[in-house]
Amino acid sequence: MKTKILISMFFLIVGSTVSAQRVLTLYSDSIPGSTAKLSKEEGPNLTLFLPVKEKVTGTAVLVIPGGAYGFLAFEEEGIAIGKAFAEKGITAFVLKYRLPKKETMQDKSYGPLMDAQQAMLVIRSNAANWNLNPAKVGVIGYSAGGHLTSTLGTHFSKSYIPNEESISLRPDFMVLVYPVISMNDQLTHMGSKINLLGMEPSKEKVDLFSNELQVTKETPPTYLTHCGDDGVVDVNNSIVFYQTLQKNGVDAELHLFPKGNHGFTQRLPVNEWLDPILAFLEREGFYKMSSK
């Protein structure tokens, strides 16, 4: 199977508690939905952080950085997050996804979702190579990366990529950090909406990517956190999504802080944002804090 040969990579030693950093090619041949050949630097990929052998738990997380679908906050909402999870025994894959561009994509609104789905396919297809439990593969996303995360977690029933073996593209859990959820003008972050959908998207496209409208009882268990004074992404994105999860009987946990603004987790010590997530994962059966 083609996904088995995607493990072409290079290694960087990053510390004693994380064994190595590896960059993985996301696609082995043509990139779906693309109308232009991308250079190696432009192409989507995964940066893998493996825990040291003694800490491996079998749980994995796909890390999706934000950037309003106009850039990637790759270091602060990607690399730093991947390292933090790996140090706790959770194998982390940081996604470099294609930014929506009508010049290079058949439909720019689907490009990021294709890459997120392909990442899930690669992770699950190669789970044995990384000592992973394929039933414990989750996703964490920040800001517009939170929108892509919630899109992955609510649109998994349709594969937008070749998936001949019908490997599940559903994350087992989601973590949403100050996320954009809706494309509705009353809630959305307008820059993210325009970058993803264009200036005058149809109502059908707006509704499709308003993920509070796409929740079902099959949506994965979800942890959300946000600040009430977020001046970039309205906190009601998280509140509305949480309420919809509740109505559909999906396990969900919402942590709201009165102050801290957008990007607040970047200014906290790691344990202050990571420990509550790990506690949630433990309650949901994906992790054991006591042993790490």
Side-chain angles (χ1 to χ4, degrees):
M1 188 180 70
K2 289 182 178 180
T3 48
K4 290 291 185 182
I5 63 172
L6 290 173
I7 314 174
S8 59
M9 49 191 147
F10 61 80
F11 297 76
L12 296 172
I13 302 302
V14 297
S16 59
T17 58
V18 180
S19 64
Q21 172 182 329
R22 313 175 182 185
V23 178
L24 318 178
T25 302
L26 199 56
Y27 298 97
S28 60
D29 44 28
S30 61
I31 300 175
S34 181
T35 59
K37 184 175 179 60
L38 301 179
S39 68
K40 185 175 181 180
E41 292 72 25
E42 295 173 316
N45 61 43
L46 290 171
T47 300
L48 166 62
F49 291 93
L50 287 170
V52 293
K53 184 177 180 180
E54 296 75 17
K55 289 193 170 188
V56 171
T57 63
T59 299
V61 64
L62 175 64
V63 181
I64 303 184
Y69 286 120
F71 69 98
L72 292 183
F74 198 73
E75 290 295 327
E76 59 270 37
E77 294 176 351
I79 297 300
I81 309 306
K83 290 179 181 179
F85 274 103
E87 288 175 356
K88 295 295 184 178
I90 296 176
T91 302
F93 300 81
V94 181
L95 177 62
K96 177 190 173 188
Y97 54 94
R98 286 173 291 164
L99 298 172
K101 292 183 179 179
K102 65 181 181 179
E103 296 82 6
T104 60
M105 298 178 182
Q106 294 169 358
D107 184 335
K108 70 174 186 174
S109 62
Y110 292 106
L113 177 57
M114 288 176 175
D115 293 348
Q117 287 193 337
Q118 180 72 11
M120 291 297 295
L121 180 64
V122 169
I123 294 167
R124 284 215 170 97
S125 297
N126 296 283
N129 295 329
W130 298 307
N131 297 313
L132 302 180
N133 183 338
K136 293 184 177 182
V137 180
V139 60
I140 180 171
Y142 293 74
S143 196
H147 181 265
L148 181 51
T149 293
S150 62
T151 305
L152 180 65
T154 55
H155 293 70
F156 55 83
S157 61
K158 180 177 180 179
S159 178
Y160 292 92
I161 57 170
N163 186 7
E164 295 177 3
E165 296 191 6
S166 299
I167 291 170
S168 174
L169 303 177
R170 175 187 181 273
D172 294 301
F173 59 85
M174 290 194 292
V175 177
L176 304 175
V177 186
Y178 42 87
V180 179
I181 294 292
S182 184
M183 292 289 111
N184 185 295
D185 283 352
Q186 284 68 47
L187 277 180
T188 196
H189 175 252
M190 194 57 67
S192 298
K193 177 180 180 178
I194 292 172
N195 285 335
L196 183 66
L197 303 183
M199 291 296 296
E200 297 181 350
S202 66
K203 182 181 184 303
E204 291 74 19
K205 188 65 74 72
V206 169
D207 288 349
L208 181 66
F209 285 96
S210 291
N211 294 325
E212 76 278 13
L213 303 179
Q214 307 302 326
V215 173
T216 71
K217 64 180 181 179
E218 302 301 324
T219 301
T222 302
Y223 173 98
L224 302 106
T225 188
H226 217 127
C227 282
D229 68 345
D230 193 319
V232 178
V233 177
D234 190 333
V235 66
N236 285 298
N237 279 270
S238 287
I239 293 171
V240 168
F241 197 65
Y242 172 79
Q243 290 173 330
T244 309
L245 293 167
Q246 288 282 293
K247 290 176 182 177
N248 283 271
V250 177
D251 285 357
E253 186 170 327
L254 174 61
H255 284 236
L256 295 180
F257 297 86
K259 296 185 184 299
N261 213 323
H262 200 66
F264 73 99
T265 57
Q266 299 171 32
R267 298 181 286 277
L268 294 176
V270 169
N271 67 292
E272 290 191 25
W273 63 262
L274 183 55
D275 285 354
I277 294 172
L278 298 179
F280 172 77
L281 297 184
E282 183 170 48
R283 287 190 290 274
E284 293 295 321
F286 297 113
Y287 185 78
K288 289 185 178 180
M289 292 185 71
S290 58
S291 62
K292 301 299 164 191

